[in-house]
Amino acid sequence: MNHFLLAAALTLSAPAAMACETVAIGDLTVEHAWSKATIGAGRPGVFYVEITNTGSTDDALVGIATPAAGMPMLHETVVQDGIASMPHAMSIPVPAGQSVQLSPGGYHGMLMGLTTALKEGDSFPVTLTFEKAGEVTVNVDVLSLRAEGPDCADAGQ
Amino acid sequence: MLGVGAYRTRNRPALSEVLPLPIGEMSWALTDHRDQSVRPTDWAGHPVMVFFGFTWCPDVCPTTLSDISLWLEDLGADANRLIVALISVDPERDTPAVLADYVSSFDPRIIGLTGPADEVAKAAADFRVTYRRVDKDGGDYTMDHTAGVFLFHPDGRFASIIDFHEDRRFAVPKIRRTLS
């Protein structure tokens, strides 16, 4: 991705409804992609999304890529004996007929090496790579650091 | 069975080693996000809500702060006397200025506390909190840490813990019990 596209992706203030768009690839639908504003570019950003597998074959999210961050990774917040840790997730299962949420306090994308601070109202693309379904790109809305999720009519928040 | 019971009792750590100390018996000295020094004695007579975290963390800490902001919103002016503090387990990166930036996104009653590593360690010990640095590739690091929110009565006695992921329907009444 060249600098022009990156700049365009980060500066075009998308309407808040973007996180409510649904993108499909094969039997998978991907929706409610959102992130939180960051303090500067030095701290990692976060990526949340909901994936539904309407097919009869198990799949898995194996990676994410974005022009917004040099080192995006999949992580899982695990609380064991009251202690929170954030191990790297090699892949996130998306079983047949089920929905998986990357959401606060659970699985999430950690966007290390941000190219620029994420500001509320920005949006940026993230490409998700699935083991079987392949790649699909979604637009991610940056909400406030305080947000708990996008405000979609069907979000079931 | 009796023997097993006795064995367990003997080996169970005393409650005083597991539960946070009363605020008045704590000994740390930290600095808040406005560069003011804060000591446990400054909190005498106030109900207190404390949790440990760090601003580098993209998921647990903003989620906890969002939850706390919503609880405070629910409680309204009733929570105005409540001391609400985030104590950083990552003082190397969390300066008062960074904490000021961070807490500005949340309820204005939330304060950020940081300080020298040994004072943070003292605070963690007083609250019976565990934290450890986890190094990552490329020189970066993250912190594992106790994720619960600690509540204290106005006289400094430990009241209860709100667990990470605990339902708001239970959290708000727990806080309310410390307010009177």
Side-chain angles (χ1 to χ4, degrees):
Chain A
M1 170 104 34
N2 65 37
H3 282 290
F4 172 74
L5 280 177
L6 172 59
L10 291 172
T11 52
L12 282 178
S13 262
M18 201 170 252
C20 304
E21 283 178 355
T22 300
V23 180
I25 178 169
D27 291 330
L28 304 182
T29 56
V30 179
E31 57 193 337
H32 306 148
W34 64 288
S35 178
K36 290 182 182 182
T38 61
I39 302 170
R43 285 172 165 64
V46 74
F47 167 65
Y48 298 121
V49 72
E50 190 177 327
I51 304 154
T52 303
N53 184 348
T54 56
S56 53
T57 313
D58 294 344
D59 207 332
L61 176 63
V62 293
I64 51 172
T66 175
M71 201 168 72
M73 298 170 84
L74 297 172
H75 280 264
E76 182 179 16
T77 294
V78 176
V79 180
Q80 200 164 16
D81 297 330
I83 297 168
S85 61
M86 218 173 46
H88 179 211
M90 291 306 289
S91 76
I92 298 174
V94 188
Q98 292 187 34
S99 279
V100 171
Q101 294 202 347
L102 277 65
S103 61
Y107 285 120
H108 57 274
M110 184 164 170
L111 310 178
M112 316 256 291
L114 288 176
T115 43
T116 178
L118 301 178
K119 289 203 293 293
E120 185 176 352
D122 286 350
S123 85
F124 61 90
V126 166
T127 300
L128 297 88
T129 303
F130 293 97
E131 197 175 60
K132 302 207 175 89
E135 291 187 355
V136 64
T137 299
V138 292
N139 282 305
V140 181
D141 281 341
V142 181
L143 308 182
S144 84
L145 188 54
R146 193 179 160 167
E148 303 215 313
D151 199 6
C152 304
D154 61 338
Q157 293 289 328
Chain B
M1 284 309 283
L2 261 179
V4 172
Y7 174 82
R8 284 207 180 125
T9 306
R10 214 170 38 241
N11 284 277
R12 190 186 298 155
L15 273 183
S16 60
E17 293 168 27
V18 181
L19 298 181
L21 289 178
I23 298 284
E25 291 175 27
M26 294 185 176
S27 59
W28 45 264
L30 296 169
T31 304
D32 75 9
H33 66 283
R34 297 186 194 93
D35 263 325
Q36 304 293 307
S37 97
V38 176
R39 288 178 163 278
T41 46
D42 297 332
W43 294 352
H46 289 269
V48 170
M49 177 156 77
V50 168
F51 77 103
F52 287 72
F54 64 117
T55 71
W56 208 268
C57 123
D59 186 52
V60 179
C61 308
T63 303
T64 302
L65 279 163
S66 300
D67 286 348
I68 289 176
S69 297
L70 287 170
W71 301 338
L72 292 175
E73 213 169 274
D74 264 21
L75 292 160
D78 290 351
N80 284 353
R81 277 184 54 75
L82 181 68
I83 307 272
V84 189
L86 156 67
I87 299 182
S88 173
V89 293
D90 185 15
E92 196 179 309
R93 294 186 292 203
D94 287 342
T95 60
V98 166
L99 286 176
D101 242 358
Y102 196 71
V103 298
S104 71
S105 300
F106 301 97
D107 191 287
R109 287 169 285 192
I110 301 172
I111 63 167
L113 293 177
T114 186
D118 56 336
E119 290 298 330
V120 169
K122 219 186 272 180
D126 288 347
F127 284 92
R128 315 304 190 207
V129 156
T130 307
Y131 64 101
R132 62 177 166 268
R133 177 179 163 139
V134 181
D135 287 306
K136 301 178 94 75
D137 298 342
D140 202 357
Y141 67 93
T142 181
M143 305 293 297
D144 290 357
H145 61 91
T146 303
V149 176
F150 298 90
L151 290 169
F152 295 85
H153 295 288
D155 62 4
R157 273 178 308 127
F158 169 68
S160 56
I161 292 178
I162 302 170
D163 286 324
F164 188 63
H165 285 163
E166 187 163 331
D167 196 302
R168 186 142 63 111
R169 281 172 303 173
F170 305 115
V172 171
K174 270 188 182 176
I175 301 167
R176 210 177 272 288
R177 279 196 290 276
T178 68
L179 298 181
S180 49

